[in-house]
Amino acid sequence: MAPPNESKDTPKVTSTAKANLFSLQDGNLTVSGGAATLLSGVPENVTLTPFATAFDPSSSSCDAPELAKQAMAAAHRGAFLGFTAPAATDRAPCRVGWLKRRRFLSVFRFKTWWSTMWAGERGGDLQMETQWVLLDVPEIGGYVLLLPLVQGSFRSAIFPGDDDGVVVCAESGSTAVTATDFRRIAYVHAGDDPFRLMHEAYTAARVHLGTFRLIEEKALPPMAERFGWCTWDAFYLTVDPAGVWQGVSELADAGVPPRFVIIDDGWQSVNRDEDPPHEDAPGLVLGGDQMTARLYRFDECARFHGYREGALLRRPPEMFYDKSMPKVVVRKAAEVEAASKAKKKAAAQGGAAAADLSLFDAKIEHLRRELEQLLARRGDILAKLCGDDGGHGGGEVGLKAFVKDMNRRFPGLDDVYVWQALCGGWGGVRPGETALDARVGPVRPSPGLAGTMDDLAVDRIIEGGIGLVRPNQAGDLYNSMHSYLAGAGVTGVKVDVIHTLEYVCEDHGGRVELAKAYYDGLSKSIANNFSGNGIIASMQQCNDFFFLGATRQVAMARAGDDFWFEDPNGDPMGVFWLQGAHMVNCAYNSLWMGQFIRPDWDMFQSDHACAAFHAASRAICGGPVYVSDSLGCHDFALLRRLVFPDGTVPMCLHYALPTRDCLFKNPLFDQETVLKIWNLNKFGGVIGAFNCQGAGWDPSEHRVRGYSHCYKPVSGEVRPADVEWSQREDTSDMANAAEYAVYRCQSDELVLMTPQSQPIQFTIQPSSFELFTFAPVTMIGDVGARFAPIGLVNMLNCGGTIVDVECRDGSEVKVKVNGAGRLLVFSSVRPQRCLVDGFEDAFEWENGGKLMVDVSWKKDKNGVSDVVFCY
């Protein structure tokens, strides 16, 4: 079968069109009239097609005329880079040239699901499954992006080639789907602003492909600017109604109420092929245990299924629930797992170590009995809870009853999300147990994934296979799940394990066509059941998801890999170095993912050794803030620096991105670079500086590991220009300020800077941070005072607490501030008095210009105080 894959005829270019910046001549790909050679040794089968000649904005298939207009305005800066293959094939790697001595930043898949940054300067430095490459081109004072695309039924990625070659590989994922024409399989775009360049390139891809939506075309779900709690690290697969209730209650009672809760993996009805077909799989505790299990029905597992309406209202968990039990169960399961690994290691070593494996068997059996006893105790407690109907048999039962009671007890809880895998469960759907046609087929990872990191999830999925519902029933699968959940009061889903589709696409028209069928079904179901955008995408960090699945419904997705509170492979320093790796992944992935979705930096634990490190990044990331604290394990003082008393957060206007001087550096193990990320608030900007040194990708070992010699203090500098003021129209004027007040969060210092000032120098300890809040200084009327609002300094994103600033009558400044705590502003002159909500109040002023006043939470005004400084 050879589906339509040929490039379309191109419209003629009008005489008024600007000449394209790119040229392919004499085996060289150049930019700006030959000012810079990007690739040399380009083979004759490689083609270059200007965007303007390949895209027709008047086409009836163009559904975004305004975006098409923007794309055409920048058309001279972009072109399609492609090739033709000598024979029809399902996988076509093509060297498109040599890359030598030019700095680049890239993002590549280090696992099936997750991607990370990589910097280099030669084609040989590239990693497999690279999703894009940003070239530094100082000859033109700018940058060039090389972006693999989808063409027809093929997707593409970049790979390293011999002798510093750059290889673009197109693949369909099915030997039955072949083609020769790949002239639109990649795209190049040039610009002098790396952030605008990314947006222009993805805008061109959006109007060209028409298969996805940009973030500006979508509405964010309400949870994006609220605080939440996820159950995963508290329970793993043992989550139950009483535990969820207890977790939400602990946070709410401490004044940091979750506005959303995510009931993660463990709530579904799943079992393994060897289990009785109508019963939940027994003994599932740790992640990994469930990865061969399949969904056998669409409602909740027995732990939730037996819940009766009012049970926890009548008898709340603190009356009977041992909140230490989940941790005890998890620890015991971890002992079982460790003993099993020790046995496997002894068997592999042979000799005396393997002489008597029965000793291991006895220990494992003993530990398993102890785990079963703990689970039985927990089951007895839940059975009593489920049997409590208040003396009458009426009311709801199951998940619907539980969510209904949660909303009664916690009226501020806006959203309840639940976890699901894209294919239903980790192992898909069990054949014969639902009305859908599900079949377990062989799992075959793409050859391009051969160099990625070893992954337990991949091993288990290959072991168990995937029960794939027929593609034309994908919509039925999702609607069956989601209509039930919506009826139970669930408001959204976290969709995980997304890229398993590429493992099972051989007999379904290839990965692009299979993905289209599933993403179409998912999008329609989200639109019908969860207000159009009640979804978080996870384990989705591959370009075919974003080009095919990032529809109008998916407005939020994970930007990094999982938060690991410790190294699963046993490195004791992983408690620290894994946190920096997570942060770098989120920051650099946001460069491209932020074009499609609002990046979600994932949960963290507030009592972790690096909790403040994580909290500072979440405070300015511009996305949701949520934790996965275990029961009874919280740092409420830290959480109050993130969360307002009503469960909202002071959210930045943009999403956090690396500063320009970090783009071509390695902040993980080059021993010199501090990760700096910028973001914008309504009346200022913020730079977060994080020492992430100490870990990263090892190309020779194909894994992320610690680099202990890099785990040391690192120095850096910061200046007002590090804030990308011009990335939003409503903040661009702040770039023109003659002076800025700069507040250092950790040292509690306030200094003044001009654009010409020497940068602020700093040194940061390992796994530590500093936040710099920049506020433009303005003159107040005729009184000669200079003024700049900083915000509530007890909040990590203090600038995000400023709601409005108004100069009145030339001698007064009114500041609206959200939250409770200490308001700091810079004022060169001591005011005569200060009014808080119309009443004169005490304030402090220091010679350096620090002006401070305390404000309280105004519940009747949604937390906002009116502070007036009178001069």
Side-chain angles (χ1 to χ4, degrees), residues 688-705:
F690 300 87
N691 185 346
C692 300
Q693 294 281 330
W697 178 252
D698 186 325
S700 60
E701 297 185 16
H702 297 285
R703 68 184 182 99
V704 175
R705 68 170 180 87

Side-chain angles (χ1 to χ4, degrees), residues 7 179 327 357 389 499 594 613 624 640 691 732 756 758 796 855:
S7 305
K327 269 198 168 183
L357 296 178
D389 64 0
H499 283 295
F613 188 61
R640 291 187 189 104
N691 185 346
S732 60
Q756 294 77 37
Q758 290 297 310
L796 287 167
V855 296

Side-chain angles (χ1 to χ4, degrees), residues 348 368 469 498 547 598 626:
R368 280 180 174 157
V469 171
I498 283 177
F547 287 142
R598 179 57 62 103
Y626 57 117

Side-chain angles (χ1 to χ4, degrees), residues 61 63-64 67 202 206-207 209-218 545-555 593-597:
S61 62
D63 62 345
L67 290 175
Y202 281 98
R206 185 264 182 263
V207 298
L209 294 174
T211 53
F212 66 92
R213 300 292 181 271
L214 297 171
I215 184 61
E216 59 259 42
E217 300 178 83
K218 307 173 188 180
F545 168 79
F546 288 100
F547 287 142
L548 301 172
T551 60
R552 228 178 269 283
Q553 281 61 54
V554 184
M593 295 181 192
Q595 311 301 327
F596 306 88
I597 49 85

Side-chain angles (χ1 to χ4, degrees), residues 91 106-111 114 116 118 124-131 157-160 447-453 697-699 702-703:
R91 192 168 194 271
S106 65
V107 159
F108 73 96
R109 283 205 288 173
F110 69 94
K111 288 187 178 182
W114 305 123
T116 188
W118 190 252
D125 293 334
L126 290 164
Q127 301 299 300
M128 68 290 145
E129 274 290 326
T130 290
Q131 308 294 290
I158 298 170
F159 292 80
L449 294 172
T452 53
M453 187 173 173
W697 178 252
D698 186 325
H702 297 285
R703 68 184 182 99

